[in-house]
Amino acid sequence: MAAVSSRLPVFPWDKLEPFKATAAAHADGIVDLSVGTPVDPVPEIVRQALVDAADSPGYPTVWGTPALRDALTGWAARRLGAVDPQHTNVLPVVGSKELVAWLPTQLGLGAGDAVAYPRLAYPTYEVGARLCGATPVVYDDPTELDPRGLRLLWLNSPSNPTGRVLGREELARTVAWAREHGVLLFSDECYLELGWEAEPVSVLHPDVCGGSYEGVVAVHSLSKRSNLAGYRAAFLVGDAGVLGELLTIRKHGGMMTPAPVQAATVAALGDDVHVAGQRARYAARRAALRTALESDGFRIEHSEASLYLWATRDEPCWDTVARLAERGILVAPGDFYGEAGARFVRVAFTATDERVEAAVKRLG
């Protein structure tokens, strides 16, 4: 039996270990800006909801409780501008990475099918294609793709790693193209509530999709906006036919969000205060790191949204990684996200205020 792992690229983060060791040897300790993992506390209102639902001896449902579906549809209408979403238009998932990795398999894709994603992109889009034996295809402009054999098109706005935001007209043009050619469009919008120099818009906004969810699904997560990466709380909103098929498959596969996490998700989506507070923390860290990086000779491109600064000194990315590691700062090399990132690094501003301050001093 051939190992499925043989289809996959080398796990990129393993390559960073020697540089992590170098950074960790710094006298004042490592400042790890390589991974966008939350470090701030889970909001009290969310923790309390989790505790209150802790006595959950029975199996949860894959589709989620009616209260969860109400919370998902209500948030989608309020925050995304989605028009009259129903319970059939939402589906909770066990973290967005799981969904990205296994979506092509759950859609029945395989040899002869193509999965397209941006040239600079989250590596799991490629992994998802390779897991099911489909062909991964990168693009600069999705409407210039060959639609023959293209079964799944990924958009990502705001982008990981670049922080680029796609405008309404560009999104609407892509949605129209995908519908014209019968290509299913999934939009990864996990950073949508973290716009800094641009206001991200969902593919579910009527200006983009025309008020119809046909052939369009948006992916959202509570990991970033609510510090719930450890809860694995994410969800889909969009085409009822597509989500109904996924629901059936996920029922058979037992892909259930734990009941206490469902209750925590309801609490998180119903409270905007903690989101505003977390945005303020990130904004301050972003401003401090951006100023320090630019003072150190870096140029920042895009980065108008998300939790990252896409930075370059116009040198090979691994040279930059090594140079910063010597100063106790660990960043992600741009080629983790595609060959087009070979002269960039991705700098996360998810470290604590104290560690960000340490990085600023070292860069100065």
Side-chain angles (χ1 to χ4, degrees):
M1 182 180 296
V4 174
S5 62
S6 66
R7 304 176 190 166
L8 305 179
V10 175
F11 188 63
W13 296 98
D14 291 345
K15 303 177 187 177
L16 204 55
E17 286 302 317
F19 301 92
K20 185 174 184 179
T22 298
H26 190 278
D28 187 35
I30 188 173
V31 177
D32 192 345
L33 307 178
S34 65
V35 182
T37 186
V39 297
D40 299 303
V42 172
E44 175 59 31
I45 190 173
V46 178
R47 282 185 280 168
Q48 188 59 55
L50 187 81
V51 170
D52 291 345
D55 186 15
S56 299
Y59 290 111
T61 65
V62 173
W63 200 14
T65 63
L68 175 59
R69 284 177 259 143
D70 282 343
L72 297 179
T73 55
W75 181 86
R78 174 170 55 88
R79 185 62 186 84
L80 306 182
V83 177
D84 193 28
Q86 303 298 307
H87 284 196
T88 52
N89 297 119
V90 296
L91 179 65
V93 295
V94 192
S96 59
K97 184 169 186 176
E98 168 264 303
L99 182 279
V100 173
W102 293 108
L103 177 64
T105 297
Q106 292 175 16
L107 292 173
L109 274 59
D113 298 322
V115 175
Y117 50 87
R119 188 171 301 280
L120 279 167
Y122 183 46
T124 311
Y125 303 133
E126 177 186 356
V127 168
R130 293 192 180 280
L131 280 171
C132 73
T135 301
V137 178
V138 299
Y139 65 78
D140 295 306
D141 180 344
T143 65
E144 294 178 355
L145 287 164
D146 183 349
R148 292 173 297 181
L150 181 59
R151 299 284 304 282
L152 175 62
L153 171 62
W154 279 106
L155 297 184
N156 180 209
S157 176
S159 164
N160 174 17
T162 69
R164 181 187 176 206
V165 173
L166 302 178
R168 296 186 186 211
E169 291 185 3
E170 187 172 0
L171 287 169
R173 179 170 60 89
T174 303
V175 168
W177 180 90
R179 285 173 171 167
E180 177 186 355
H181 296 286
V183 177
L184 178 60
L185 187 153
F186 266 66
S187 180
D188 181 347
E189 302 176 352
C190 290
Y191 296 92
L192 184 132
E193 294 198 274
L194 294 163
W196 311 110
E197 297 162 2
E199 184 61 39
V201 63
S202 172
V203 292
L204 301 182
H205 192 283
D207 288 351
V208 175
C209 68
S212 167
Y213 305 137
E214 178 189 356
V216 176
V217 178
V219 182
H220 285 273
S221 167
L222 300 186
S223 294
K224 316 300 185 186
R225 50 93 76 187
S226 298
N227 299 334
L228 297 188
Y231 284 45
R232 311 314 300 135
F235 55 95
L236 308 178
V237 187
D239 189 312
V242 174
L243 298 192
E245 173 68 8
L246 291 176
L247 174 59
T248 298
I249 293 165
R250 295 172 70 86
K251 282 180 179 178
H252 282 290
M255 304 176 90
M256 301 173 282
T257 302
V261 174
Q262 293 189 28
T265 299
V266 173
L269 291 177
D271 177 66
D272 292 333
V273 174
H274 78 271
V275 180
Q278 191 58 48
R279 276 183 55 88
R281 293 187 195 99
Y282 283 142
R285 294 166 185 166
R286 176 182 184 271
L289 281 170
R290 179 165 195 156
T291 298
L293 287 165
E294 290 177 334
S295 296
D296 195 51
F298 282 88
R299 185 177 74 256
I300 308 299
E301 291 194 0
H302 292 301
S303 306
E304 57 259 33
S306 82
L307 291 178
Y308 312 108
L309 293 167
W310 188 237
T312 182
R313 286 174 55 89
D314 294 309
E315 65 185 8
C317 61
W318 287 100
D319 290 355
T320 306
V321 169
R323 191 176 67 84
L324 289 175
E326 292 291 341
R327 298 158 85 175
I329 301 170
L330 189 67
V331 298
D335 66 3
F336 275 11
Y337 308 95
E339 294 179 3
R343 299 179 74 83
F344 286 81
V345 293
R346 192 194 74 169
V347 183
F349 43 89
T350 52
T352 64
D353 291 342
E354 183 273 331
R355 287 289 84 187
V356 168
E357 183 179 354
V360 169
K361 288 179 180 178
R362 295 175 197 183
L363 288 166

